Amino acid sequence: MSYPVALSPRVRAVLPGWHGPQAPAPTHQVPGAGDALERALGWVEGALPRFDPAADGRARPGPPGSALLELVVVLRQLYHQDLPAPLAARVGRCLDGAAEAFLRGGFRHRMLRATPYFQYYAWLVACLLDTGRLPAAERDALQHLVDRGHADLHNPTHPPHGVLELRYVLDLAGVTHRLPDHRTLYEADVLAAPLDPLYVTEVEAYAVTHVVYYLSDMGLIPLHSLDEAQHADCVHAVDTLLDLYLCFGNWDLIAELLLCRPTLGAEHTPRDQYALECLLLAQHADGSMPGPHFDPRMHEALPAERRADYAFARSYHTTLVVAMTLADRLYGQGRPDARNGAAR
């Protein structure tokens, strides 16, 4: 196994002992992965107020509720993992806090009224229903919006992966709809065409990981809905992108791509091991993971009162996906259907 020589400064910074492409491949075990997961979830629980769209009047990154949505999506995936009791309890407390944030004040009503944010509302409802944090009446409200056309489901300007996402989340919520089936949507998506690493954009890379997630219930079940050729193309795309973003040191996409591989039935490789060790070495002492836009020099140059906001906005998503990937590698392999644990 040879590793990429053209490593970015971001990768070199966390690999002071790396000696080039002839370095021996790491072993199958990743010492410290369990501790890293505990630190990451500890950081998430400590940062819960910052995910709340209504708390303390602070501006949140992205559209209203986007940080809360991303939190809930990952917590729901962790909820269905066979985690040790202390970690499962922490996930449960975080889900309780997220449900309170969703229901508090006028946030839920603002999501209900604003058509552009329908998908955010649908995600939050689906995940919180699936984890037992909302009453069934919330599903009825979501079904009412779909039935009345409020969701704008059949807008021809929606990209195929966006429609695939919407189909997945409505199916997860148990809402009836008339969207095309998975195969039709997949064949119109980014993965249906050959992927050239010289020209692929970051947006396309995220579209690849998200398509895999929507077809595999966020990595909780094996992906069986593709034919043999489509499956092979999908594995090749994920592997190509993992090589590419490992060179760049983009921990966010590395974590997302690593979660895709076992879902696709790909064997654990020395390259996977190398990528996991990179993630562990990049983790900050407080458990957070620096995102692609986190600049330590800028962070240090900010006034002390602004550093926490800067770090949260540029770290929370990467911390969440790394926690999800580590949990899957430690506790989620070999399950034919992780949602059998849904009653927990």
Side-chain angles (χ1 to χ4, degrees), residues 169-238:
V169 72
L170 293 179
D171 288 346
L172 178 62
V175 168
T176 58
H177 56 80
R178 292 179 296 163
L179 291 171
D181 61 35
H182 294 96
R183 186 173 295 277
T184 299
L185 293 169
Y186 178 88
E187 289 173 352
D189 210 330
V190 62
L191 276 167
L195 191 129
D196 188 335
L198 292 177
Y199 299 101
V200 69
T201 67
E202 197 170 278
V203 170
E204 289 172 321
Y206 279 110
V208 168
T209 62
H210 291 185
V211 166
V212 175
Y213 294 166
Y214 304 148
L215 294 176
S216 65
D217 194 13
M218 297 302 296
L220 289 172
I221 58 176
L223 199 163
H224 294 310
S225 56
L226 305 180
D227 62 33
E228 187 174 345
Q230 290 172 332
H231 185 274
D233 288 343
C234 196
V235 173
H236 177 72
V238 168

Side-chain angles (χ1 to χ4, degrees), residues 107-294:
F107 173 69
R108 171 184 172 274
H109 297 288
R110 191 162 76 252
M111 292 290 100
L112 273 168
R113 291 194 302 270
T115 300
Y117 301 135
F118 170 81
Q119 209 135 321
Y120 290 79
Y121 171 74
W123 264 113
L124 288 162
V125 169
C127 292
L128 291 173
L129 278 170
D130 188 58
T131 54
R133 264 64 186 182
L134 290 179
E138 202 69 43
R139 179 184 293 106
D140 297 337
L142 181 58
Q143 183 70 66
H144 178 77
L145 292 178
V146 172
D147 292 344
R148 294 299 180 92
H150 179 84
D152 196 23
L153 296 187
H154 302 285
N155 187 327
T157 66
H158 291 329
H161 72 266
V163 182
L164 183 62
E165 174 185 1
L166 191 52
R167 178 179 179 110
Y168 166 68
V169 72
L170 293 179
D171 288 346
L172 178 62
V175 168
T176 58
H177 56 80
R178 292 179 296 163
L179 291 171
D181 61 35
H182 294 96
R183 186 173 295 277
T184 299
L185 293 169
Y186 178 88
E187 289 173 352
D189 210 330
V190 62
L191 276 167
L195 191 129
D196 188 335
L198 292 177
Y199 299 101
V200 69
T201 67
E202 197 170 278
V203 170
E204 289 172 321
Y206 279 110
V208 168
T209 62
H210 291 185
V211 166
V212 175
Y213 294 166
Y214 304 148
L215 294 176
S216 65
D217 194 13
M218 297 302 296
L220 289 172
I221 58 176
L223 199 163
H224 294 310
S225 56
L226 305 180
D227 62 33
E228 187 174 345
Q230 290 172 332
H231 185 274
D233 288 343
C234 196
V235 173
H236 177 72
V238 168
D239 284 347
T240 300
L241 290 170
L242 184 52
D243 288 339
L244 179 67
Y245 286 100
L246 188 54
C247 291
F248 291 159
N250 185 322
W251 315 129
D252 201 274
L253 270 166
I254 289 168
E256 290 208 7
L257 290 159
L258 280 173
L259 182 61
C260 291
R261 296 198 78 255
T263 296
L264 291 164
E267 293 293 326
H268 185 83
T269 66
R271 189 270 319 279
D272 293 358
Q273 202 72 16
Y274 176 74
L276 285 167
E277 292 197 352
C278 285
L279 294 179
L280 299 190
L281 288 165
Q283 188 181 46
H284 288 165
D286 65 356
S288 64
M289 284 292 303
H293 304 294
F294 181 89

